[in-house]
Amino acid sequence: MRRYNLLKVSSIILIILGALNLGSVLAVALDIGRVLGLGLINSLQVYFMLLDKSNIVLLACYVLGFASGIYGVLSSRRFERGRVCVILGAVTIALFIAYLIVAIVEGFSAAYLANGIMGALFPAMYIAGGVQNMRRAKNGEQPPEECFGNRLG
């Protein structure tokens, strides 16, 4: 039995990474707001004023990765949607490369490099899953039937 899980697994990893990073942004913003006695909206404004350019690009990477992950999970059993997954993965990797360039210009750190490498690894898996789905669509393959049916589309 052939497996059709690469796109789904990499999508779930992107969702988890995106949610963790977006949650940490919200937690830090709320902590700043608590210290300064601000509400949520004002504390988010203060947080974004304190961010440097590389972290803003990194935040955009994780937002796009989160959205790509959701699309990938919903499209993992629809082989004709593989091309969109490849494009989303390529844009995510391009954003991570932009993050690395901005981070190096601002001042190199090993944490920036590790973040960039790990950030590009999972979208690369996502692209590989999208390419697999494109090949399956080209070959006219159909997704295998599951015991409980295809619930996600």
Side-chain angles (χ1 to χ4, degrees):
M1 181 175 148
R2 291 180 68 179
R3 297 279 181 176
Y4 297 92
N5 292 336
L6 183 59
L7 183 60
K8 187 177 281 187
V9 168
S10 59
S11 297
I12 290 171
I13 291 171
L14 285 175
I15 290 171
I16 291 170
L17 286 175
L20 288 174
N21 284 290
L22 295 175
S24 68
V25 165
L26 188 60
V28 169
L30 288 175
D31 193 37
I32 290 171
R34 184 181 54 81
V35 169
L36 298 177
L38 302 173
L40 174 63
I41 300 299
N42 290 335
S43 60
L44 282 172
Q45 288 173 343
V46 170
Y47 177 76
F48 285 117
M49 287 185 340
L50 296 175
L51 283 179
D52 56 354
K53 292 177 195 115
S54 63
N55 286 329
I56 291 173
V57 174
L58 185 63
L59 183 63
C61 293
Y62 285 119
V63 168
L64 181 62
F66 183 76
S68 299
I70 291 172
Y71 185 81
V73 167
L74 295 176
S75 302
S76 64
R77 300 186 58 78
R78 300 224 176 165
F79 297 152
E80 67 276 2
R81 295 185 181 174
R83 182 178 307 275
V84 176
C85 293
V86 170
I87 292 169
L88 286 173
V91 171
T92 304
I93 288 177
L95 271 176
F96 272 107
I97 291 171
Y99 160 74
L100 281 175
I101 292 169
V102 171
I104 289 171
V105 167
E106 286 184 347
F108 181 76
S109 171
Y112 289 145
L113 186 62
N115 225 352
I117 290 172
M118 291 306 293
L121 176 68
F122 297 117
M125 288 174 47
Y126 183 81
I127 289 173
V131 168
Q132 281 183 352
N133 279 7
M134 283 174 46
R135 286 184 186 152
R136 290 181 181 128
K138 185 178 179 182
N139 294 337
E141 292 182 40
Q142 297 295 320
E145 294 296 323
E146 292 183 6
C147 298
F148 301 107
N150 190 353
R151 295 183 183 171
L152 293 178

Coordinates of all heavy atoms in Angstrom, one line a residue, residues 65-136:
G65 N 3.5 30.3 6.6 CA 3.7 28.9 6.8 C 2.5 28.3 7.4 O 2.0 27.2 7.1
F66 N 1.9 29.0 8.4 CA 0.6 28.5 9.0 C -0.5 28.4 8.0 O -1.2 27.4 8.0 CB 0.3 29.5 10.2 CG -0.9 29.1 11.0 CD1 -0.9 28.1 11.9 CD2 -2.1 29.8 10.8 CE1 -2.0 27.8 12.7 CE2 -3.3 29.4 11.5 CZ -3.2 28.4 12.5
A67 N -0.7 29.4 7.2 CA -1.7 29.4 6.2 C -1.4 28.3 5.1 O -2.4 27.6 4.7 CB -1.8 30.8 5.5
S68 N -0.2 28.2 4.8 CA 0.2 27.1 3.8 C -0.1 25.7 4.4 O -0.6 24.8 3.7 CB 1.7 27.2 3.4 OG 1.9 28.4 2.8
G69 N 0.2 25.6 5.7 CA -0.1 24.3 6.3 C -1.6 23.9 6.3 O -1.9 22.8 6.1
I70 N -2.4 24.9 6.6 CA -3.8 24.7 6.6 C -4.3 24.3 5.2 O -5.0 23.3 5.0 CB -4.6 25.9 7.1 CG1 -4.4 26.1 8.6 CG2 -6.1 25.8 6.8 CD1 -4.9 27.3 9.2
Y71 N -3.8 25.0 4.2 CA -4.2 24.7 2.8 C -3.6 23.3 2.4 O -4.3 22.5 1.8 CB -3.6 25.7 1.8 CG -4.0 25.5 0.4 CD1 -5.3 25.9 0.0 CD2 -3.2 24.8 -0.5 CE1 -5.7 25.7 -1.3 CE2 -3.6 24.6 -1.8 CZ -4.9 25.0 -2.2 OH -5.3 24.8 -3.5
G72 N -2.4 22.9 2.9 CA -1.9 21.6 2.6 C -2.6 20.5 3.2 O -2.8 19.4 2.5
V73 N -3.1 20.6 4.4 CA -3.9 19.6 5.0 C -5.2 19.4 4.3 O -5.6 18.3 4.0 CB -4.1 19.9 6.5 CG1 -5.2 19.0 7.1 CG2 -2.8 19.8 7.3
L74 N -5.8 20.5 3.9 CA -7.1 20.4 3.2 C -6.9 19.9 1.8 O -7.8 19.3 1.2 CB -7.8 21.8 3.2 CG -8.2 22.3 4.6 CD1 -8.8 23.7 4.4 CD2 -9.2 21.4 5.2
S75 N -5.7 20.1 1.2 CA -5.5 19.7 -0.2 C -4.7 18.4 -0.3 O -4.4 18.0 -1.4 CB -4.7 20.8 -0.9 OG -5.5 22.0 -0.9
S76 N -4.3 17.7 0.8 CA -3.4 16.6 0.7 C -4.0 15.4 -0.1 O -3.2 14.7 -0.7 CB -3.0 16.2 2.1 OG -4.1 15.7 2.8
R77 N -5.3 15.3 -0.2 CA -5.9 14.2 -0.9 C -6.5 14.6 -2.2 O -7.1 13.9 -2.9 CB -6.9 13.5 0.0 CG -6.3 13.0 1.2 CD -7.2 12.2 2.1 NE -7.8 11.1 1.4 CZ -7.2 9.9 1.2 NH1 -5.9 9.7 1.5 NH2 -7.8 8.9 0.6
R78 N -6.2 15.9 -2.6 CA -6.7 16.4 -3.9 C -5.4 16.7 -4.7 O -4.8 17.7 -4.6 CB -7.5 17.7 -3.7 CG -8.7 17.5 -2.9 CD -9.8 18.2 -3.5 NE -11.0 17.9 -2.8 CZ -12.1 18.5 -2.9 NH1 -12.1 19.5 -3.7 NH2 -13.1 18.2 -2.2
F79 N -5.1 15.7 -5.5 CA -3.8 15.7 -6.2 C -3.7 16.9 -7.2 O -2.6 17.4 -7.4 CB -3.6 14.4 -7.0 CG -3.5 13.2 -6.0 CD1 -3.8 12.0 -6.5 CD2 -3.0 13.4 -4.7 CE1 -3.8 10.9 -5.7 CE2 -3.0 12.3 -3.9 CZ -3.3 11.0 -4.4
E80 N -4.8 17.4 -7.7 CA -4.7 18.5 -8.7 C -4.3 19.8 -8.0 O -4.0 20.8 -8.7 CB -6.0 18.7 -9.4 CG -7.2 19.1 -8.5 CD -7.9 18.0 -7.8 OE1 -7.5 16.8 -7.9 OE2 -8.9 18.3 -7.0
R81 N -4.3 19.9 -6.7 CA -3.9 21.1 -6.0 C -2.4 21.2 -5.6 O -2.0 22.0 -4.9 CB -4.7 21.3 -4.7 CG -6.2 21.5 -5.0 CD -6.9 21.7 -3.7 NE -8.3 21.9 -3.9 CZ -9.2 22.1 -2.9 NH1 -8.8 22.0 -1.7 NH2 -10.5 22.2 -3.2
G82 N -1.7 20.2 -6.1 CA -0.2 20.2 -5.8 C 0.5 21.4 -6.3 O 1.5 21.8 -5.6
R83 N 0.2 21.9 -7.4 CA 0.9 23.1 -7.9 C 0.8 24.3 -7.0 O 1.8 25.0 -6.8 CB 0.3 23.5 -9.3 CG 1.1 24.6 -9.9 CD 0.5 25.0 -11.3 NE 0.5 23.8 -12.2 CZ 1.5 23.4 -13.0 NH1 2.7 24.0 -12.9 NH2 1.4 22.4 -13.7
V84 N -0.4 24.5 -6.4 CA -0.5 25.6 -5.5 C 0.3 25.4 -4.2 O 0.9 26.3 -3.7 CB -2.0 25.8 -5.1 CG1 -2.2 26.9 -4.0 CG2 -2.9 26.1 -6.3
C85 N 0.4 24.2 -3.8 CA 1.2 23.8 -2.6 C 2.7 24.1 -2.9 O 3.4 24.6 -2.1 CB 1.0 22.4 -2.2 SG -0.6 22.1 -1.5
V86 N 3.2 23.8 -4.1 CA 4.5 24.0 -4.5 C 4.8 25.5 -4.5 O 5.8 26.0 -4.0 CB 4.9 23.4 -5.9 CG1 6.2 23.9 -6.4 CG2 4.8 21.9 -5.8
I87 N 3.9 26.3 -5.0 CA 4.0 27.8 -5.1 C 4.1 28.4 -3.7 O 4.9 29.2 -3.3 CB 2.9 28.4 -5.9 CG1 3.1 28.0 -7.4 CG2 2.9 29.9 -5.8 CD1 1.9 28.4 -8.3
L88 N 3.2 27.9 -2.8 CA 3.2 28.4 -1.4 C 4.4 28.1 -0.7 O 5.0 28.9 0.1 CB 1.9 27.9 -0.7 CG 0.6 28.5 -1.0 CD1 -0.5 27.7 -0.3 CD2 0.5 30.0 -0.7
G89 N 4.9 26.9 -0.9 CA 6.2 26.4 -0.3 C 7.4 27.3 -0.8 O 8.2 27.6 0.0
A90 N 7.4 27.5 -2.1 CA 8.5 28.3 -2.6 C 8.5 29.8 -2.1 O 9.5 30.3 -1.8 CB 8.4 28.3 -4.2
V91 N 7.3 30.3 -2.0 CA 7.2 31.7 -1.4 C 7.6 31.7 0.0 O 8.3 32.6 0.5 CB 5.8 32.2 -1.6 CG1 5.6 33.5 -0.8 CG2 5.4 32.4 -3.1
T92 N 7.3 30.7 0.8 CA 7.7 30.6 2.2 C 9.2 30.5 2.3 O 9.8 31.2 3.1 CB 7.0 29.4 2.9 OG1 5.6 29.5 2.7 CG2 7.4 29.3 4.3
I93 N 9.8 29.7 1.5 CA 11.3 29.5 1.5 C 11.9 30.9 1.1 O 12.9 31.3 1.6 CB 11.7 28.4 0.6 CG1 11.4 27.1 1.3 CG2 13.2 28.5 0.3 CD1 11.8 25.8 0.5
A94 N 11.3 31.5 0.1 CA 11.9 32.8 -0.4 C 11.8 33.8 0.8 O 12.8 34.6 1.0 CB 11.1 33.4 -1.6
L95 N 10.7 33.8 1.6 CA 10.7 34.7 2.7 C 11.7 34.4 3.8 O 12.3 35.3 4.4 CB 9.3 34.6 3.3 CG 8.2 35.6 2.8 CD1 6.9 35.4 3.4 CD2 8.7 37.0 3.0
F96 N 12.0 33.1 4.0 CA 13.0 32.7 4.9 C 14.4 33.1 4.4 O 15.2 33.5 5.2 CB 13.0 31.2 5.2 CG 12.1 30.8 6.3 CD1 10.9 30.2 6.1 CD2 12.4 31.1 7.7 CE1 10.0 29.9 7.1 CE2 11.5 30.8 8.7 CZ 10.3 30.2 8.4
I97 N 14.6 33.1 3.1 CA 15.9 33.5 2.6 C 16.0 35.1 2.8 O 17.1 35.6 3.2 CB 16.0 33.1 1.1 CG1 16.2 31.6 1.0 CG2 17.2 33.9 0.5 CD1 16.2 31.1 -0.4
A98 N 14.9 35.8 2.6 CA 14.9 37.2 2.9 C 15.2 37.5 4.3 O 15.9 38.4 4.7 CB 13.5 37.8 2.4
Y99 N 14.6 36.7 5.2 CA 14.9 36.8 6.6 C 16.3 36.6 6.9 O 16.9 37.4 7.7 CB 14.0 35.8 7.4 CG 14.6 35.5 8.8 CD1 14.4 36.4 9.8 CD2 15.3 34.3 9.1 CE1 14.9 36.2 11.1 CE2 15.8 34.1 10.3 CZ 15.6 35.0 11.3 OH 16.1 34.8 12.6
L100 N 17.0 35.6 6.3 CA 18.4 35.4 6.6 C 19.2 36.6 6.1 O 20.2 37.0 6.7 CB 18.9 34.1 5.9 CG 18.6 32.8 6.6 CD1 19.0 31.6 5.8 CD2 19.3 32.8 7.9
I101 N 18.9 37.1 4.9 CA 19.6 38.3 4.4 C 19.5 39.5 5.3 O 20.5 40.2 5.6 CB 19.1 38.6 2.9 CG1 19.6 37.5 2.0 CG2 19.7 39.9 2.5 CD1 19.0 37.6 0.6
V102 N 18.2 39.8 5.7 CA 18.0 40.9 6.6 C 18.7 40.7 7.9 O 19.3 41.6 8.5 CB 16.5 41.2 6.8 CG1 16.2 42.2 7.9 CG2 15.9 41.6 5.5
A103 N 18.7 39.5 8.4 CA 19.3 39.2 9.7 C 20.8 39.3 9.6 O 21.5 39.8 10.6 CB 18.9 37.8 10.2
I104 N 21.4 38.9 8.5 CA 22.9 39.0 8.4 C 23.3 40.5 8.3 O 24.3 40.9 8.8 CB 23.3 38.2 7.2 CG1 23.2 36.7 7.5 CG2 24.8 38.5 6.8 CD1 23.5 35.7 6.4
V105 N 22.5 41.3 7.6 CA 22.8 42.7 7.4 C 22.7 43.4 8.8 O 23.5 44.2 9.1 CB 21.8 43.3 6.4 CG1 21.9 44.9 6.5 CG2 22.1 42.8 5.0
E106 N 21.7 43.0 9.6 CA 21.5 43.6 10.9 C 22.6 43.2 11.9 O 22.9 43.9 12.9 CB 20.2 43.3 11.5 CG 19.1 44.0 10.8 CD 17.7 43.8 11.5 OE1 17.6 42.8 12.3 OE2 16.8 44.5 11.2
G107 N 23.2 42.0 11.7 CA 24.2 41.5 12.6 C 24.0 40.0 12.7 O 23.0 39.5 13.2
F108 N 25.0 39.3 12.3 CA 25.0 37.8 12.3 C 24.9 37.2 13.7 O 25.6 37.6 14.6 CB 26.1 37.2 11.5 CG 26.1 35.7 11.4 CD1 25.2 35.2 10.5 CD2 26.9 34.9 12.2 CE1 25.2 33.8 10.3 CE2 26.8 33.6 12.0 CZ 25.9 33.0 11.1
S109 N 24.1 36.1 13.8 CA 24.0 35.4 15.0 C 23.7 33.9 14.6 O 23.1 33.7 13.6 CB 22.9 35.9 15.9 OG 22.6 35.0 16.9
A110 N 24.2 33.0 15.4 CA 24.0 31.6 15.1 C 22.5 31.2 15.2 O 22.0 30.4 14.5 CB 24.8 30.7 16.0
A111 N 21.8 32.0 16.1 CA 20.3 31.7 16.2 C 19.6 32.1 14.9 O 18.7 31.4 14.5 CB 19.8 32.6 17.4
Y112 N 20.0 33.2 14.2 CA 19.4 33.5 12.9 C 19.6 32.4 11.9 O 18.7 32.0 11.2 CB 20.0 34.8 12.4 CG 19.7 36.1 13.1 CD1 20.6 37.1 13.3 CD2 18.4 36.2 13.7 CE1 20.3 38.3 13.9 CE2 18.1 37.4 14.3 CZ 19.0 38.4 14.5 OH 18.7 39.6 15.1
L113 N 20.8 31.9 11.9 CA 21.2 30.8 10.9 C 20.3 29.6 11.2 O 19.8 28.9 10.3 CB 22.7 30.5 11.0 CG 23.2 29.5 9.9 CD1 22.9 30.0 8.5 CD2 24.6 29.2 10.2
A114 N 20.3 29.2 12.5 CA 19.5 28.0 12.9 C 18.0 28.2 12.5 O 17.3 27.3 12.0 CB 19.6 27.7 14.3
N115 N 17.5 29.4 12.8 CA 16.1 29.7 12.5 C 15.8 29.6 11.0 O 14.8 29.1 10.6 CB 15.8 31.1 13.0 CG 14.5 31.1 13.8 OD1 13.7 30.2 13.7 ND2 14.2 32.3 14.4
G116 N 16.8 30.1 10.2 CA 16.6 30.1 8.8 C 16.7 28.7 8.2 O 15.9 28.4 7.3
I117 N 17.6 27.9 8.7 CA 17.7 26.5 8.2 C 16.5 25.7 8.5 O 15.9 25.0 7.7 CB 19.0 25.9 8.7 CG1 20.2 26.6 8.0 CG2 19.0 24.4 8.4 CD1 21.5 26.1 8.6
M118 N 16.1 25.8 9.8 CA 14.9 25.0 10.2 C 13.6 25.6 9.5 O 12.7 24.8 9.2 CB 14.7 25.1 11.7 CG 15.8 24.3 12.5 SD 16.0 22.6 11.9 CE 14.4 21.9 12.5
G119 N 13.6 26.9 9.3 CA 12.5 27.5 8.6 C 12.4 27.1 7.2 O 11.3 27.0 6.6
A120 N 13.5 26.8 6.5 CA 13.4 26.4 5.1 C 13.3 24.9 5.0 O 12.9 24.4 3.9 CB 14.7 26.8 4.4
L121 N 13.6 24.1 6.0 CA 13.6 22.6 5.9 C 12.1 22.1 5.8 O 11.8 21.3 4.9 CB 14.2 22.0 7.2 CG 14.1 20.5 7.3 CD1 15.0 19.9 6.2 CD2 14.5 20.0 8.6
F122 N 11.2 22.6 6.6 CA 9.8 22.1 6.5 C 9.1 22.6 5.3 O 8.3 21.8 4.7 CB 9.1 22.4 7.8 CG 9.8 21.7 9.0 CD1 10.3 22.5 10.0 CD2 9.8 20.4 9.1 CE1 10.9 21.9 11.1 CE2 10.5 19.7 10.1 CZ 11.0 20.5 11.2
P123 N 9.3 23.8 4.9 CA 8.6 24.2 3.6 C 9.2 23.4 2.4 O 8.5 23.1 1.4 CB 8.9 25.7 3.4 CG 9.1 26.2 4.8 CD 9.7 25.0 5.6
A124 N 10.5 22.9 2.5 CA 11.0 22.1 1.4 C 10.3 20.7 1.4 O 10.1 20.2 0.3 CB 12.5 21.9 1.6
M125 N 10.0 20.2 2.6 CA 9.3 18.9 2.7 C 7.9 19.2 2.1 O 7.3 18.3 1.4 CB 9.1 18.5 4.1 CG 10.4 17.9 4.7 SD 10.3 17.5 6.5 CE 8.7 16.6 6.6
Y126 N 7.3 20.3 2.4 CA 6.0 20.7 1.9 C 6.0 20.7 0.3 O 5.1 20.2 -0.3 CB 5.6 22.1 2.5 CG 4.2 22.6 2.1 CD1 3.1 22.2 2.8 CD2 4.1 23.6 1.2 CE1 1.9 22.7 2.5 CE2 2.9 24.1 0.9 CZ 1.7 23.6 1.6 OH 0.5 24.2 1.3
I127 N 7.0 21.3 -0.2 CA 7.2 21.4 -1.7 C 7.3 20.0 -2.2 O 6.7 19.6 -3.3 CB 8.4 22.2 -2.1 CG1 8.1 23.7 -1.8 CG2 8.8 22.0 -3.6 CD1 9.3 24.6 -2.0
A128 N 8.1 19.1 -1.6 CA 8.2 17.7 -2.1 C 6.9 17.0 -2.1 O 6.5 16.3 -3.0 CB 9.2 17.0 -1.2
G129 N 6.1 17.2 -1.0 CA 4.7 16.7 -1.0 C 3.8 17.2 -2.1 O 3.1 16.5 -2.7
G130 N 4.0 18.5 -2.4 CA 3.2 19.1 -3.5 C 3.6 18.5 -4.8 O 2.8 18.3 -5.7
V131 N 4.9 18.3 -5.0 CA 5.4 17.7 -6.3 C 4.9 16.3 -6.4 O 4.5 15.9 -7.5 CB 7.0 17.8 -6.3 CG1 7.5 16.9 -7.5 CG2 7.5 19.2 -6.4
Q132 N 4.9 15.5 -5.3 CA 4.3 14.2 -5.4 C 2.9 14.2 -5.8 O 2.5 13.4 -6.7 CB 4.4 13.5 -4.0 CG 5.7 12.9 -3.7 CD 5.7 12.2 -2.3 OE1 4.7 12.3 -1.6 NE2 6.8 11.6 -2.0
N133 N 2.1 15.2 -5.3 CA 0.7 15.3 -5.7 C 0.5 15.7 -7.1 O -0.4 15.2 -7.8 CB 0.0 16.2 -4.7 CG -0.4 15.5 -3.4 OD1 -0.1 14.4 -3.2 ND2 -1.2 16.2 -2.6
M134 N 1.4 16.6 -7.6 CA 1.4 17.0 -9.0 C 1.6 15.8 -9.9 O 1.0 15.6 -10.9 CB 2.4 18.1 -9.3 CG 2.0 19.4 -8.8 SD 3.3 20.7 -9.0 CE 3.9 20.5 -10.6
R135 N 2.6 15.0 -9.6 CA 2.9 13.8 -10.4 C 1.8 12.8 -10.3 O 1.4 12.2 -11.4 CB 4.2 13.1 -9.8 CG 5.4 13.8 -10.1 CD 6.6 13.0 -9.7 NE 7.8 13.8 -9.9 CZ 8.9 13.7 -9.2 NH1 9.0 12.9 -8.2 NH2 10.0 14.5 -9.4
R136 N 1.1 12.6 -9.2 CA 0.0 11.7 -9.1 C -1.2 12.2 -9.9 O -1.9 11.5 -10.6 CB -0.4 11.5 -7.7 CG 0.6 10.8 -6.9 CD 0.2 10.6 -5.4 NE 1.2 9.8 -4.7 CZ 1.7 10.2 -3.6 NH1 1.3 11.3 -3.0 NH2 2.7 9.5 -3.0

